[in-house]
Amino acid sequence: MKASSTLRSRLQAGKLTVSIGVYDPLSAVIAERAGFDAVAYQSAQASGADALPDVGIRTAYETVEMVRRIARAVSLPIIVDSEQGFGDDPEVCAYWTRELIRAGAAGQHIDDLRAGRCIWLESGAKYGDAEDVSER
């Protein structure tokens, strides 16, 4: 069964799905061997592995490529932190979502901040309104 189907089945059945943040194929293999149900490629772990702050430095392309590498290494579902959808335009978000699926992502989450905003670095940074966020 594909990893995305596995994740979907678990969620539809209401099964608890335990994931852990990973930053590369090796950390994903360790998570799989430790018995986790899924892995989460998160910007905090990815940035931290490169000794960078988690402030949106990683590009969509870098994210897709790392997801591809992780998917080759493990059979677990991969849930991806897609930041703010890698842009405010819904078409841009849709493009990168398709690329993540092709790379092996089973799920993603998209922040509800406007693109280019970092809430913990900037006072007054705005969350997107419900209509804006739902378009992405």
Side-chain angles (χ1 to χ4, degrees):
M1 182 182 301
K2 284 178 55 175
S4 57
S5 299
T6 300
L7 180 61
R8 186 178 302 110
S9 295
R10 290 184 67 84
L11 295 175
Q12 287 174 340
K15 290 184 179 178
L16 178 66
T17 301
V18 180
S19 69
I20 188 169
V22 299
Y23 52 88
D24 68 358
L26 178 59
S27 62
V29 167
I30 292 168
E32 185 171 53
R33 290 184 182 174
F36 285 91
D37 301 315
V39 293
Y41 181 67
Q42 305 291 326
S43 61
Q45 288 88 358
S47 295
D50 289 335
L52 296 171
D54 181 19
V55 293
I57 293 172
R58 289 194 166 273
T59 67
Y61 179 79
E62 289 172 309
T63 299
V64 167
E65 287 308 304
M66 185 57 73
V67 168
R68 190 178 328 279
R69 292 174 56 207
I70 291 169
R72 283 194 302 253
V74 298
S75 61
L76 293 176
I78 305 167
I79 303 165
V80 181
D81 178 359
S82 294
E83 299 294 343
Q84 295 92 16
F86 301 113
D88 284 332
D89 185 328
E91 291 300 316
V92 171
C93 181
Y95 171 82
W96 288 112
T97 296
R98 288 188 299 272
E99 290 301 307
L100 285 166
I101 292 168
R102 285 185 192 107
Q108 72 175 336
H109 59 85
I110 300 173
D111 298 342
D112 58 356
L113 291 173
R114 301 290 298 183
R117 304 306 293 266
C118 183
I119 198 74
W120 50 88
L121 290 181
E122 188 178 331
S123 66
K126 303 291 184 204
Y127 288 97
D129 61 37
E131 184 177 330
D132 171 64
V133 171
S134 66
E135 285 180 14
R136 286 188 270 145

